[in-house]
Amino acid sequence: MLTEFAERFIQLRQDQGYTQQKIAEKLGITPQAVSKWENGTSLPDAEMIRSIARLMDCSTDYLLNHQISAISQHNLESLQRQRQAEVENVIQKYVLVLEVGRGLVDMLVKENTNTYLPIHNMRMRLGDHMGIMIPMIQLRDNITLGEKEYRILLHGREVVAQNSSEYPKYFYVRENALPVAEWRTVWPEGEWLEKQDETPAGYVELSAFDCIVAHLSEVILQNYDRILNRQLTADMVNMVRRRYPAVVDGVVPEQVSLKRLQRVLAGLVTTGVPINRLDYIISYLEEHPETGNDGETSIIAALTEELQ
């Protein structure tokens, strides 16, 4: 019993953040007495055990038996949640990651009260224009990058090498030069300047972060065949099902497999074709059964003509 009491007492004291000196003061005893309890060489009397239970917010049964205290149980559950989150983080890494150098961390903090808002807006614009779903994008700093450099990772691998940003300058480009599928083709059309009091007539003002996000959107479209997975495909199908159940029920995956639909959708997006008429695409695939890889290429070509 001495050893068991000592183990539980030490755990409670540490859970509550007490030192031996502090708990001795609160119990009105000497630190030497506390040390003896924890060494397992002595045991408090019944009245002292009740005082310890009140101070530690536990029962005397816990101190004398094997019950788990509320605090220890809470700490155990927190530890289990933390470990679960760590495991999930290892197993399910972000598909897309935007890494920035130290100088751009200020950009994320100062220019955007909600850093994720420009990225959220970009995801929504691509969703509206292209009919695609995009997984969450992680933002993080990387001290190995240059002061104002950034890079983009896809599935943990670099798809955009270190690019330099002109932060804190702003990019001014003619309105008729936007939007374009490939953001970098716009750069010769614009100019990086200090922020203007008024945006020049006929021009659009973009922050450095806006430009980085535009580059990110270009990368997403170019690599959508590597981003679109079976789950995202199923989520898009479910959206169509809610609005047009007759198009989907009994068709996906019974006649048109998610695998085939995923390949066709990815092929269309990477060639710049919107897939926001997903109900039509599903019906088309239902009417044109799979005939091998060549047949899939022909399907994508035919749908490209239909959808553009």
Side-chain angles (χ1 to χ4, degrees):
M1 179 178 287
L2 288 174
T3 301
E4 293 168 352
F5 172 83
E7 290 175 352
R8 287 191 289 279
F9 180 82
I10 292 171
Q11 185 63 57
L12 282 168
R13 178 175 64 77
Q14 293 175 343
D15 285 347
Q16 303 239 15
Y18 290 134
T19 62
Q20 288 186 347
Q21 177 69 37
K22 190 67 176 178
I23 204 166
E25 292 174 2
K26 286 187 170 291
L27 292 172
I29 57 174
T30 64
Q32 290 79 9
V34 175
S35 178
K36 289 181 179 180
W37 296 345
E38 295 190 356
N39 289 335
T41 56
S42 69
L43 189 68
D45 59 28
E47 185 58 36
M48 183 57 67
I49 287 177
R50 284 192 287 271
S51 297
I52 293 170
R54 285 192 296 270
L55 176 62
M56 298 294 199
D57 192 25
C58 67
S59 68
T60 55
D61 286 338
Y62 166 72
L63 290 169
L64 299 174
N65 296 300
H66 290 285
Q67 297 176 359
I68 298 178
S69 72
I71 293 175
S72 295
Q73 179 67 30
H74 174 74
N75 289 346
L76 178 61
E77 291 172 355
S78 297
L79 181 60
Q80 289 172 337
R81 287 194 296 269
Q82 179 182 344
R83 287 175 177 171
Q84 179 66 24
E86 290 172 352
V87 170
E88 290 177 356
N89 202 32
V90 170
I91 295 174
Q92 290 187 317
K93 291 188 177 295
Y94 281 88
V95 174
L96 287 159
V97 177
L98 173 61
E99 291 187 340
V100 300
R102 283 177 295 182
L104 297 184
V105 173
D106 290 339
M107 174 191 72
L108 301 182
V109 173
K110 292 178 182 178
E111 289 198 3
N112 304 280
T113 53
N114 184 347
T115 299
Y116 281 93
L117 184 58
I119 290 183
H120 170 76
N121 290 341
M122 176 269 289
R123 294 172 71 229
M124 297 304 294
R125 284 195 302 270
L126 286 182
D128 290 340
H129 177 61
M130 296 296 295
I132 62 178
M133 294 184 70
I134 303 167
M136 293 297 294
I137 300 167
Q138 183 185 36
L139 287 174
R140 68 187 183 204
D141 62 325
N142 183 341
I143 61 173
T144 67
L145 294 177
E147 184 74 8
K148 294 184 180 180
E149 288 184 336
Y150 68 92
R151 67 173 186 162
I152 300 170
L153 307 179
L154 176 59
H155 296 298
R157 296 188 177 184
E158 185 179 81
V159 289
V160 171
Q162 298 174 8
N163 273 250
S164 180
S165 172
E166 295 293 331
Y167 173 77
K169 291 184 177 180
Y170 283 69
F171 188 68
Y172 292 86
V173 62
R174 288 192 177 277
E175 289 178 337
N176 57 15
L178 294 172
V180 295
E182 294 191 5
W183 170 250
R184 283 168 291 183
T185 63
V186 174
W187 291 359
E189 306 293 328
E191 188 176 2
W192 288 95
L193 302 170
E194 300 295 333
K195 185 172 177 60
Q196 307 295 295
D197 292 335
E198 292 186 10
T199 303
Y203 280 77
V204 176
E205 177 190 88
L206 300 170
S207 72
F209 191 44
D210 290 331
C211 294
I212 293 174
V213 171
H215 194 180
L216 179 59
S217 68
E218 175 192 331
V219 169
I220 290 170
L221 293 178
Q222 291 176 342
N223 295 275
Y224 199 65
D225 56 335
R226 298 170 59 190
I227 294 172
L228 183 63
N229 57 29
R230 208 65 52 81
Q231 184 58 55
L232 285 177
T233 304
D235 291 343
M236 288 192 287
V237 169
N238 286 333
M239 291 175 65
V240 175
R241 177 183 281 112
R242 286 194 291 271
R243 188 168 185 180
Y244 305 111
V247 172
V248 176
D249 292 343
V251 178
V252 182
E254 290 83 356
Q255 299 180 53
V256 179
S257 69
L258 284 174
K259 179 181 179 181
R260 185 188 183 205
L261 184 58
Q262 176 186 337
R263 291 198 306 262
V264 170
L265 295 180
L268 289 169
V269 173
T270 53
T271 55
V273 180
I275 57 171
N276 40 25
R277 293 177 60 193
L278 185 53
D279 57 318
Y280 178 83
I281 295 171
I282 292 172
S283 297
Y284 192 94
L285 292 178
E286 178 190 8
E287 296 169 2
H288 298 79
E290 190 168 12
T291 57
N293 291 333
D294 290 340
E296 187 172 288
T297 302
S298 300
I299 289 288
I300 292 174
L303 281 169
T304 298
E305 292 186 9
E306 294 284 341
L307 297 171
Q308 281 187 325

